[in-house]
Amino acid sequence: MAVERFHIHVPDEILDDLQYRLRHIRWPDQVEDTGWERGTELTTLKSLVSYWRDQYDWRAQESALNRLAQFRCHIDGIDVHFVHERGKGPNPLPLILTHGWPDSYLRYQKIIPLLTDPASYGGNPEDSFDVIVPSVPGFGFSSRPKQPGVNNKRVADMWAKLMTEELGYPKFGAAGGDVGSGVTRYLAANHPELLYGIHLTDIGIIRDLMSAADEAKLSEEERRYKQAASAWVAQEGGYMSIQSTRPQTLAYGLSDSPSGLAGWLMEKFRAWSDCQGDLKQRFSEDELITHIMVYWVTNTIGSSAHLYYENAHSLPPLGYIEVPTALALFPADVLLPPKAWAARHLNVTRVTSMPRGGHFTAWEEPEALAEDIREFYRPFRAKN
């Protein structure tokens, strides 16, 4: 199918079914005198579910989301959903933004207007972008892969076709974090001629450092990273282990229980953000639930987990990336990469240490991230 306009409209039957489930939850116990150390805390989850059931208005959120210019097209057997907002400036630079897990394309909802229309936010209209934000296959309003093998590399190849064949951009910028960082790096590795540069907020878990046998060959920063990464995976990596090995088993419970889904995602929003243990410092209840709803109404929590399996079992190694690369590092993010390692594997031309913010960068600190993206791409505009 050609590129077609897309509007979100969730059938009433799905919303009615959700209401029934929210009113008939069988809650587990929680061990006395415990908080979040064993997983999502019961009182916090009950409070969010109560708001979800009694006050949250999906139709209002749906209407707000539909104010974005959204489209779908068919690439490599998958219907790809994406936002495509045109820049308001003399020569907008095309930029594709890729989200991660457990968020969605809504990770970039706040930053889109800052990039497309900088003049309205105190910036220069010459810094405007055409912003494209796809939903990764198996997430949200993109379709769920029916065949194995859709990993970060395959998604990157799809993005190359989306930008050049479907949207007609011969060259563009790319940015992302979490899964989006991996997709963006594979895009740079396999399609460097298409890119001005890439902008990353993380480099994921660096497995070769974790498995390095001879620590004497590592720098002090790399040794600290190895220790921190090993501790983090042991304490926080259970979700990753099960999604990389048994995503189908996990999908049954999370696809059937809205409270289970909320508990699975809330734990990560709290642990990986710069919220100091209090979700309300960073996210409103409406924001949290709308992110959860994108998974619920599309029934994509299972298919999103399968991406971890594909990346663990079918992803080829990455070589040195020659495309100019910016790193914007947020202090509360997960496992900040050693700068020397990054410099050996990527053509790093800009590194910014942000004053605050966590893993959900564009959601938590949209203004700071937007400014860093503008500054990084400014020298490339003469080539656009």
Side-chain angles (χ1 to χ4, degrees):
M1 84 180 164
V3 173
E4 296 179 348
R5 193 64 187 257
F6 178 79
H7 290 273
I8 304 166
H9 181 73
V10 176
D12 288 339
E13 306 86 76
I14 291 177
L15 301 181
D16 292 343
D17 173 75
L18 172 61
Q19 270 295 315
Y20 177 85
R21 292 168 188 264
L22 291 173
R23 295 185 184 280
H24 295 84
I25 294 169
R26 185 171 71 167
W27 292 104
D29 296 327
Q30 180 160 325
V31 176
E32 293 181 2
D33 300 321
T34 61
W36 286 82
E37 65 270 19
R38 302 185 184 212
T40 299
E41 195 271 328
L42 181 61
T43 301
T44 306
L45 183 56
K46 280 187 171 181
S47 175
L48 185 77
V49 167
S50 176
Y51 181 87
W52 192 1
R53 181 189 62 228
D54 298 330
Q55 299 179 59
Y56 177 79
D57 185 348
W58 166 255
R59 291 300 184 204
Q61 298 297 323
E62 185 180 68
S63 177
L65 294 179
N66 279 329
R67 287 197 283 272
L68 292 169
Q70 297 176 90
F71 302 85
R72 288 181 85 176
C73 66
H74 196 71
I75 303 174
D76 294 348
I78 293 173
D79 292 335
V80 175
H81 160 262
F82 61 98
V83 172
H84 188 193
E85 287 284 350
R86 300 282 185 174
K88 298 179 180 179
N91 191 25
L93 190 147
L95 177 68
I96 186 167
L97 305 174
T98 308
H99 66 83
W101 186 95
D103 53 279
S104 66
Y105 79 107
L106 298 186
R107 170 189 276 238
Y108 295 110
Q109 185 178 6
K110 295 177 182 178
I111 203 175
I112 291 171
L114 302 178
L115 294 174
T116 57
D117 188 14
S120 292
Y121 299 89
N124 188 331
E126 293 184 359
D127 285 334
S128 69
F129 294 85
D130 283 354
V131 176
I132 298 88
V133 187
S135 294
V136 172
F139 287 71
F141 299 103
S142 286
S143 62
R144 300 184 289 273
K146 292 181 169 56
Q147 303 296 326
V150 179
N151 54 29
N152 283 354
K153 178 187 177 298
R154 283 278 302 279
V155 175
D157 293 340
M158 293 171 68
W159 281 189
K161 292 179 181 179
L162 171 65
M163 295 298 286
T164 59
E165 297 176 14
E166 301 296 337
L167 299 181
Y169 293 116
K171 201 160 187 175
F172 53 91
D178 193 85
V179 168
S181 170
V183 170
T184 300
R185 282 178 282 139
Y186 275 96
L187 187 56
N190 295 324
H191 305 278
E193 73 285 356
L194 301 180
L195 293 165
Y196 294 112
I198 61 172
H199 188 284
L200 309 175
T201 56
D202 62 67
I203 307 181
I205 297 174
I206 303 172
R207 298 288 182 180
D208 64 346
L209 281 181
M210 288 184 63
S211 61
D214 188 357
E215 291 198 9
K217 295 181 179 179
L218 303 180
S219 68
E220 179 59 30
E221 187 185 23
E222 289 169 337
R223 283 194 292 272
R224 289 197 303 270
Y225 177 90
K226 179 180 178 180
Q227 294 167 359
S230 298
W232 187 88
V233 169
Q235 184 65 27
E236 298 283 346
Y239 81 97
M240 188 166 46
S241 295
I242 192 168
Q243 292 186 175
S244 298
T245 58
R246 299 294 184 270
Q248 187 66 32
T249 303
L250 180 69
Y252 297 114
L254 299 187
S255 297
D256 194 54
S257 169
S259 60
L261 174 62
W264 191 250
L265 302 186
M266 273 182 72
E267 179 196 304
K268 306 310 175 193
F269 293 146
R270 178 182 178 273
W272 299 351
S273 67
D274 192 10
C275 73
Q276 310 299 315
D278 180 7
L279 279 161
K280 292 181 181 179
Q281 285 195 21
R282 282 289 174 178
F283 314 116
S284 70
E285 290 173 310
D286 279 342
E287 286 178 324
L288 288 170
I289 295 170
T290 300
H291 272 77
I292 295 165
M293 283 288 287
V294 169
Y295 284 91
W296 182 262
V297 300
T298 59
N299 195 16
T300 51
I301 188 59
S303 53
S304 72
H306 276 276
L307 182 62
Y308 280 74
Y309 185 96
E310 298 296 347
N311 284 338
H313 291 82
S314 64
L315 197 59
L318 269 171
Y320 179 78
I321 291 174
E322 297 183 358
V323 172
T325 301
L327 296 176
L329 304 178
F330 292 74
D333 202 350
V334 176
L335 298 175
L336 299 180
K339 294 182 178 64
W341 185 96
R344 290 198 306 272
H345 292 81
L346 302 119
N347 179 16
V348 177
T349 61
R350 177 184 175 87
V351 179
T352 307
S353 295
M354 295 294 185
R356 60 187 176 275
H359 189 62
F360 306 101
T361 51
W363 190 6
E364 296 182 60
E365 294 289 338
E367 292 85 2
L369 182 58
E371 182 57 29
D372 200 69
I373 290 173
R374 289 189 203 114
E375 291 186 14
F376 172 62
Y377 282 106
R378 199 168 288 143
F380 300 103
R381 289 185 177 274
K383 306 172 186 177
N384 182 18

